[in-house]
Amino acid sequence: MPKKIRLGIIGGGGDSLIGVLHRVASFINDNYEIVGAVFNPDYEQNLAFAKEIDVPTDRIYKDFDTLVEEELKLPEDERIQVCSVLTPNFLHFPMAKKLLENGFHVICEKPMTMNYEEAKTLQEVYERSGRVFALTHTYTGYPMVRQMREMIKDGALGKIHKVDARYYQGWINTVIHDKEKRSTVWRLDPKKAGISSCIGDIGVHASNLIEYTTGLKIKSVLCDFNYLYDDNQMDVDGTVLIRMDKHVKGVVRASQVATGEENGLAIAIYGEKGAFRWEQEKPNFLYKMSDTEPLQVYKPGHAYNSELSLKASKIPAGHPEGIFDSMANIYLGAARAIRGEAYNDGEFPTMKDGVRGMNFIESTVASHKQGNVWVNLD
Amino acid sequence: MPKKIRLGIIGGGGDSLIGVLHRVASFINDNYEIVGAVFNPDYEQNLAFAKEIDVPTDRIYKDFDTLVEEELKLPEDERIQVCSVLTPNFLHFPMAKKLLENGFHVICEKPMTMNYEEAKTLQEVYERSGRVFALTHTYTGYPMVRQMREMIKDGALGKIHKVDARYYQGWINTVIHDKEKRSTVWRLDPKKAGISSCIGDIGVHASNLIEYTTGLKIKSVLCDFNYLYDDNQMDVDGTVLIRMDKHVKGVVRASQVATGEENGLAIAIYGEKGAFRWEQEKPNFLYKMSDTEPLQVYKPGHAYNSELSLKASKIPAGHPEGIFDSMANIYLGAARAIRGEAYNDGEFPTMKDGVRGMNFIESTVASHKQGNVWVNLD
Amino acid sequence: MPKKIRLGIIGGGGDSLIGVLHRVASFINDNYEIVGAVFNPDYEQNLAFAKEIDVPTDRIYKDFDTLVEEELKLPEDERIQVCSVLTPNFLHFPMAKKLLENGFHVICEKPMTMNYEEAKTLQEVYERSGRVFALTHTYTGYPMVRQMREMIKDGALGKIHKVDARYYQGWINTVIHDKEKRSTVWRLDPKKAGISSCIGDIGVHASNLIEYTTGLKIKSVLCDFNYLYDDNQMDVDGTVLIRMDKHVKGVVRASQVATGEENGLAIAIYGEKGAFRWEQEKPNFLYKMSDTEPLQVYKPGHAYNSELSLKASKIPAGHPEGIFDSMANIYLGAARAIRGEAYNDGEFPTMKDGVRGMNFIESTVASHKQGNVWVNLD
Amino acid sequence: MPKKIRLGIIGGGGDSLIGVLHRVASFINDNYEIVGAVFNPDYEQNLAFAKEIDVPTDRIYKDFDTLVEEELKLPEDERIQVCSVLTPNFLHFPMAKKLLENGFHVICEKPMTMNYEEAKTLQEVYERSGRVFALTHTYTGYPMVRQMREMIKDGALGKIHKVDARYYQGWINTVIHDKEKRSTVWRLDPKKAGISSCIGDIGVHASNLIEYTTGLKIKSVLCDFNYLYDDNQMDVDGTVLIRMDKHVKGVVRASQVATGEENGLAIAIYGEKGAFRWEQEKPNFLYKMSDTEPLQVYKPGHAYNSELSLKASKIPAGHPEGIFDSMANIYLGAARAIRGEAYNDGEFPTMKDGVRGMNFIESTVASHKQGNVWVNLD
């Protein structure tokens, strides 16, 4: 008998975009109820936001540590079961770690940690904990991404020969071209934002999507970053040559200075028998290509789709679902895991995706810094 | 101070598609809480569904009349404020009427009533009631539809000369081509489904969208239906020549036998200075055309959009929102009205849209039955 | 042994757009040589143009009658074999008639005649003549239009249920909205341009394409024109309800005031087993739809295409061919007929297409003038 | 007074695809007449083809050397003025060289030579000759490519920050995956096809298009090839990191094993003020992007286009022109140069494009062979 899972939220208050995305995603499939939170480091704002969205204020805590402490005092069947960690990047690691160590399940925004070392540490904690850990690589929740994965697994492309992924945005232009702004914004400050801006923030979505859909692992990378200005310390654009298992080669392209691009994530997977193309901004169209047959366009909700894909759409074909629905599918997968139900490996990204991601990011940075040489991932 | 609005749901239980659409839409902007319901005419199933989605069962009623009766016994600040009516078509009118008469606000699925006469009656009840009535013409909730409306209002197209709307689906093919099925399915039984299948169910969305975006009224129609088989009593396809205010002519095309079409609603509005095209299946792309300038593609979330459009998207450009988000915008507008806040005329469809719609449907049926002649709307 | 066909050109001199289209089309498949012409009614300009495009001037005649007279004096194996008639509309009929009566083959621009009566007269002359008559309904030359025709003939759609064709342009806006211009331009003068502007010029392409691809005939029409201004005598927009053989219903929409539309010809054919959509502005993409399978996109040059389609493209898939190539395919078909080779019915439009077209145009005008009533075609 | 230019053709007989492309392109603007040829190394087939396409056989020569010898005996005003060299790759250099040395203008297929050394030699011959040399980088003939070039030159993008070009095809799959075929086909034999398959054949189009549109030069490359099989000696896929003038970085991606891709050439140019995207398979759509304004779609034939673009389209907007028309624009530019008329730098690709191309190809091969290191171009 399903019963709503008790959800705690850390961060995501006020006008936070990530806040509304997670909150809505948690609601969509009737699986979660927000029972406690630290929406904001400022306690007054925290309470005010709770009232604004009509969450009872009795379990709105003054800070993260208090939340953990107080919740642990509650009986297990009242206690928060899972926390969504939506705080600034550098807090993901310590918070996720403490939550797992204290028996909470965790849904964590990306990047999972600030570096690969932390990621491996967190992985150890996770493995000992027996808890569920979901990393919100949101784009793996789209029905057509899942369809691609399942069809590749079923051999629709035959042996894969080439992959090509792109994640182009233009939003950082207003910052990077302004000397004052680029030297002060936290996004371009390695101490605050981590070792990479462009690959760390978006390139890693592309690499994750490649591994998610093909089931192959990236083995080594050769990367060239673009900083645009000499006084800028963070990559705002990068191209990564990749080599994967089974002699597959490919490229990951990421940019935050691709003027006019909004959220241009796209992948193409080419195999011996066919190929796939998919674009995030038109998420409900999956293109299957062949050298000999007409191109086919798969769409969600049709009986020809795989079960994993069908479970990721709620209403009939032709009614577009979007990114909130995609994130909701990840929350749905996590809910099944939290309840101890059987679930498919592709239903939500996990700790291993987070560890792979940090390994990828650090390797690209190393490759660039060492003069665009090949660097192996673990 | 916002406080969640107490929502009752009538219908929409089990696997109901309309149920999940409304439920999610009510959650999305943190405005509503489901406090009471009659999800299902079978009381056991009703209770079971409430448990499944974890709604407290103490205000799950055995039927609609009991819901009204029992809720009225509750103090006003605990009582359901608004009911979503998601029942079969013929129940919309009596339920909405009784709800309004008893002081409840109403969110009602379409068609609002079974005929124009009922619609006018309901309008009178509504006007006396002082309550909010929202009709869920879902497609008016899309940010780009709202952008179109605002730009037209601001004169972007100059005088309008021509409109063209299409709503093509293919889903009824599996029913209509089967002699047995087409004579037994309730969808094609005028006693159960009303006087029109194709225009009543989908054509009216197209006519509504034309009036919503242009601000003009349809004055007369000339319609040719297609029944496909002699033993079929309901239109499954129809083309409607229309004449609007200010000498605007146009066409509304609707079909349920347009094989392979999913939910193909699209409109084009041509004016002296420019034109718009928009398609429901790619809802985040609005095409603005000109005889002399490059075509422009508007997308949600950009600062160049109108306020009405911007309020209808939650996150930055390039992150696709879909039909759940569109419906959520209608719930958002209704929430503002229910709370007594000021709201824009375009924030949700109202009683007048419902009355217009029934007037349109009846007029097309009359036109066809009288031999494809012009019939005036009121 | 192929040997270039001796081609005469009437009209199409100077900057004539139709001139360059026909001239290039005649060259493309190495089938024609221009040996004589009256490019221009002004003899000096006629000669100058011949020199400009390097056609020998010895058979550049001062007028059409002289061309016929002088060519008839030449031995048959030197004489012009076929004339392309590219003159103003009202001259098509008398010139085509005289050419056929004197033993010349004819390639004729559309509209074939000024009215249906002339069309029937020309048909009689043609039938007696034993000559080839090709009407340049250019759009039937596209490989994907031909593919659609062949697949429909082979039953890919099953029984057809509905057709929808559109031809929207915006070019007349600059004329129609100017009181001075609209009363003086020949295009809107019924004495010079014929009984219909919009349907006569472009609507008839849409009706032709429907009959070409489906093999069905339009039996009756109900039409509503739009003149926009009371002082304008010619339709600049029209919507035509149609009924075809075998109980097929549909709609033909045409407009010259569809602001921002360039050359927006598009058709959709819906059948029991599948459907097709095609748009002239993206001519190399043919969409095949199904209720149960992924949408398929056919493109020219692939082995999966029919022979009629494959013969209409010259180079491998992915190298776009356009409207010159489409017209060239009609010239190619005509060349095969002129040489007495066997040819497929779909290789070029003929006299019967011209007669059908005039019948369609007159019927729509009659329908509108009689108050939007059904008018039967022959 | 224009007078048709006397054209000789070397190669391109029979079913040659490149043959029909050049022949049609030469006809399209009424500028050229084929007066002599060696269509085929087999003299009988050569003559037969000339008869088939109705070229007089008196100047059909038994081989290239005879053509040169015999034509030189003719008076200058009868002699072939320009030769199109359409022979296998390894013959381009010796033929073009001999033609230039003997006073003929040359239109040459690509690759211009087998290596960079030959290219530089040819350049010296060319510079001494005073003749016109046009290299048929066909894609620079498209109106929208030319529009991009002109708008970039006029500053529409501001400072350029990033370029991304792709040329993906799948045609070699049927060869490469077959052990027998891949070891015998001339395409994958370095002695016959040159040092590179994928970059040499198609990658160089992408690099040329980048330099053509931006006016910037590629300064260095780092390349990773994919051979797919150990026994294959030629690249069938490659990704090239590039660095250009003015600190612009970018990537060129080329593949012949991108299953299902037809002729997928596409470029994107990102600058401070805006960006362009263009795809060869939809050549009449040019996308101009901005961070703050709606995306704009430029199309050929509109008054808003530059003169260079407008001269490259023949008929009004909305009538698609294709690759034959694009190649015809290059022939048109060459005709203007041959006649000694003033012409714009962008009207046809020249010797310098050929030299740059060979420099690019050799540098990518060197980069790959040296272990994916940066290699500078001259």
Side-chain angles (χ1 to χ4, degrees), chain D residues 152-332:
Chain D
I152 290 174
K153 197 190 282 181
D154 289 351
L157 306 193
K159 177 167 175 10
I160 290 171
H161 289 131
K162 180 182 177 70
V163 299
D164 186 332
R166 178 200 70 188
Y167 202 150
Y168 279 2
Q169 301 179 328
W171 71 269
I172 221 168
N173 277 326
T174 54
V175 172
I176 193 74
H177 300 319
D178 182 315
K179 195 177 171 62
E180 175 69 20
K181 283 189 194 162
R182 72 176 172 254
S183 63
T184 54
V185 75
W186 73 265
R187 288 279 198 169
L188 294 174
D189 180 349
K191 287 181 207 120
K192 294 181 189 150
I195 55 175
S196 164
S197 173
C198 182
I199 298 297
D201 192 27
I202 61 175
V204 70
H205 274 299
S207 67
N208 175 259
L209 216 48
I210 287 173
E211 296 198 340
Y212 179 79
T213 53
T214 65
L216 300 172
K217 298 293 168 218
I218 296 170
K219 295 180 68 174
S220 55
V221 295
L222 185 159
C223 178
D224 192 33
F225 285 159
N226 198 344
Y227 298 84
L228 274 197
Y229 297 97
D230 289 344
D231 60 355
N232 168 38
Q233 301 178 71
M234 294 276 270
D235 56 301
V236 290
D237 177 282
T239 307
V240 191
L241 306 180
I242 65 173
R243 293 179 178 173
M244 304 187 77
D245 289 342
K246 303 191 185 172
H247 307 292
V248 174
K249 290 191 173 185
V251 62
V252 170
R253 300 165 287 134
S255 187
Q256 295 169 323
V257 294
T259 310
E261 299 282 3
E262 299 179 344
N263 198 33
L265 172 62
I267 64 170
I269 313 285
Y270 300 97
E272 188 160 5
K273 291 160 56 181
F276 280 119
R277 276 195 289 117
W278 177 85
E279 296 181 25
Q280 193 274 150
E281 296 196 18
K282 292 177 182 166
N284 297 311
F285 299 80
L286 173 62
Y287 301 91
K288 176 151 190 302
M289 303 187 287
S290 151
D291 287 326
T292 54
E293 301 293 326
L295 178 145
Q296 290 183 302
V297 187
Y298 283 71
K299 298 192 66 184
H302 285 284
Y304 56 65
N305 285 306
S306 67
E307 193 195 342
L308 185 66
S309 170
L310 284 170
K311 283 196 302 193
S313 62
K314 296 179 285 295
I315 48 173
H319 297 80
E321 301 189 38
I323 194 158
F324 286 83
D325 308 281
S326 183
M327 182 65 101
N329 289 326
I330 290 173
Y331 267 78
L332 175 60

Side-chain angles (χ1 to χ4, degrees), chain B residues 181-286:
Chain B
K181 283 189 195 163
R182 71 176 172 255
S183 62
T184 54
V185 76
W186 74 265
R187 287 279 200 171
L188 295 174
D189 179 350
K191 288 180 208 119
K192 296 181 188 148
I195 56 173
S196 164
S197 173
C198 182
I199 297 298
D201 191 27
I202 61 174
V204 70
H205 274 299
S207 66
N208 176 258
L209 218 47
I210 286 173
E211 296 197 342
Y212 179 79
T213 54
T214 66
L216 301 172
K217 298 293 170 218
I218 296 171
K219 295 181 68 175
S220 55
V221 296
L222 185 160
C223 177
D224 192 33
F225 285 159
N226 198 345
Y227 297 84
L228 273 198
Y229 297 97
D230 289 343
D231 61 355
N232 169 37
Q233 302 178 70
M234 292 277 270
D235 57 301
V236 290
D237 177 282
T239 306
V240 191
L241 305 181
I242 65 172
R243 293 178 179 173
M244 304 186 78
D245 289 342
K246 302 191 187 172
H247 309 292
V248 174
K249 290 191 172 185
V251 61
V252 170
R253 300 165 286 133
S255 188
Q256 295 169 324
V257 294
T259 311
E261 299 283 1
E262 298 179 345
N263 198 33
L265 172 61
I267 64 169
I269 313 284
Y270 299 98
E272 187 159 5
K273 291 161 56 182
F276 280 120
R277 275 194 290 116
W278 177 84
E279 297 180 25
Q280 192 273 150
E281 296 197 18
K282 292 177 182 167
N284 297 312
F285 298 80
L286 172 63

Side-chain angles (χ1 to χ4, degrees), chain A residues 128-202:
Chain A
R128 279 196 307 271
S129 74
R131 302 289 91 182
V132 172
F133 182 90
L135 187 70
T136 49
H137 269 301
T138 322
Y139 307 111
T140 64
Y142 280 117
M144 291 296 97
V145 168
R146 294 184 170 196
Q147 178 64 14
M148 205 179 344
R149 173 189 168 95
E150 294 297 284
M151 288 181 74
I152 290 174
K153 198 189 283 180
D154 289 351
L157 306 192
K159 175 164 176 15
I160 291 172
H161 288 132
K162 179 182 177 70
V163 299
D164 186 333
R166 178 199 71 188
Y167 203 150
Y168 280 0
Q169 300 179 330
W171 71 270
I172 221 169
N173 277 326
T174 53
V175 171
I176 192 75
H177 300 319
D178 181 314
K179 196 177 172 60
E180 175 69 19
K181 284 188 194 163
R182 73 177 171 254
S183 63
T184 54
V185 75
W186 74 265
R187 288 279 199 170
L188 295 174
D189 179 350
K191 288 180 208 119
K192 295 179 189 149
I195 56 174
S196 165
S197 172
C198 181
I199 298 297
D201 191 27
I202 61 175

Side-chain angles (χ1 to χ4, degrees), chain A residues 45-330:
Chain A
Q45 289 183 31
N46 190 1
L47 281 174
F49 184 72
K51 284 177 190 158
E52 186 184 322
I53 64 169
D54 208 20
V55 168
T57 54
D58 55 335
R59 285 158 80 182
I60 302 300
Y61 301 100
K62 75 173 173 30
D63 58 28
F64 170 72
D65 291 322
T66 310
L67 178 144
V68 173
E69 192 179 335
E70 294 297 319
E71 287 291 324
L72 286 174
K73 294 178 185 166
L74 295 175
E76 214 174 311
D77 63 353
E78 289 180 27
R79 194 185 299 162
I80 285 172
Q81 293 169 271
V82 56
C83 267
S84 291
V85 178
L86 315 180
T87 50
N89 296 354
F90 71 96
L91 293 171
H92 296 175
F93 170 66
M95 287 180 168
K97 184 164 170 287
K98 183 164 180 175
L99 287 164
L100 290 171
E101 286 170 343
N102 284 282
F104 297 94
H105 304 288
V106 175
I107 295 173
C108 186
E109 254 305 317
K110 276 180 47 259
M112 187 171 80
T113 59
M114 289 290 274
N115 54 54
Y116 183 42
E117 198 58 37
E118 285 180 359
K120 285 184 288 189
T121 303
L122 190 62
Q123 184 172 34
E124 286 167 26
V125 172
Y126 160 75
E127 281 165 3
R128 279 196 307 271
S129 74
R131 302 289 91 182
V132 172
F133 182 90
L135 187 70
T136 49
H137 269 301
T138 322
Y139 307 111
T140 64
Y142 280 117
M144 291 296 97
V145 168
R146 294 184 170 196
Q147 178 64 14
M148 205 179 344
R149 173 189 168 95
E150 294 297 284
M151 288 181 74
I152 290 174
K153 198 189 283 180
D154 289 351
L157 306 192
K159 175 164 176 15
I160 291 172
H161 288 132
K162 179 182 177 70
V163 299
D164 186 333
R166 178 199 71 188
Y167 203 150
Y168 280 0
Q169 300 179 330
W171 71 270
I172 221 169
N173 277 326
T174 53
V175 171
I176 192 75
H177 300 319
D178 181 314
K179 196 177 172 60
E180 175 69 19
K181 284 188 194 163
R182 73 177 171 254
S183 63
T184 54
V185 75
W186 74 265
R187 288 279 199 170
L188 295 174
D189 179 350
K191 288 180 208 119
K192 295 179 189 149
I195 56 174
S196 165
S197 172
C198 181
I199 298 297
D201 191 27
I202 61 175
V204 71
H205 274 298
S207 66
N208 175 259
L209 217 48
I210 287 174
E211 296 198 342
Y212 179 80
T213 54
T214 66
L216 301 172
K217 297 294 170 217
I218 296 170
K219 296 180 66 174
S220 56
V221 295
L222 185 160
C223 178
D224 192 33
F225 284 159
N226 199 345
Y227 299 83
L228 274 198
Y229 297 96
D230 289 342
D231 60 355
N232 168 38
Q233 300 178 73
M234 294 277 269
D235 58 299
V236 289
D237 176 285
T239 306
V240 190
L241 305 180
I242 65 173
R243 293 177 179 175
M244 303 185 80
D245 289 343
K246 303 193 185 171
H247 307 293
V248 174
K249 290 190 173 185
V251 61
V252 170
R253 300 165 286 134
S255 187
Q256 295 169 323
V257 294
T259 310
E261 300 282 2
E262 298 178 346
N263 198 32
L265 172 62
I267 66 169
I269 313 284
Y270 300 97
E272 187 161 4
K273 291 161 57 182
F276 280 120
R277 276 193 289 117
W278 177 83
E279 296 181 26
Q280 195 272 150
E281 297 196 17
K282 292 176 183 167
N284 296 312
F285 299 81
L286 172 63
Y287 301 91
K288 174 148 190 305
M289 302 186 288
S290 151
D291 286 328
T292 55
E293 301 293 324
L295 179 144
Q296 291 183 301
V297 187
Y298 283 71
K299 299 191 68 183
H302 286 282
Y304 56 66
N305 285 306
S306 66
E307 192 196 344
L308 185 64
S309 170
L310 284 170
K311 283 196 302 194
S313 61
K314 296 179 286 295
I315 48 171
H319 297 81
E321 301 190 36
I323 195 155
F324 286 83
D325 308 281
S326 184
M327 182 65 102
N329 289 326
I330 290 173

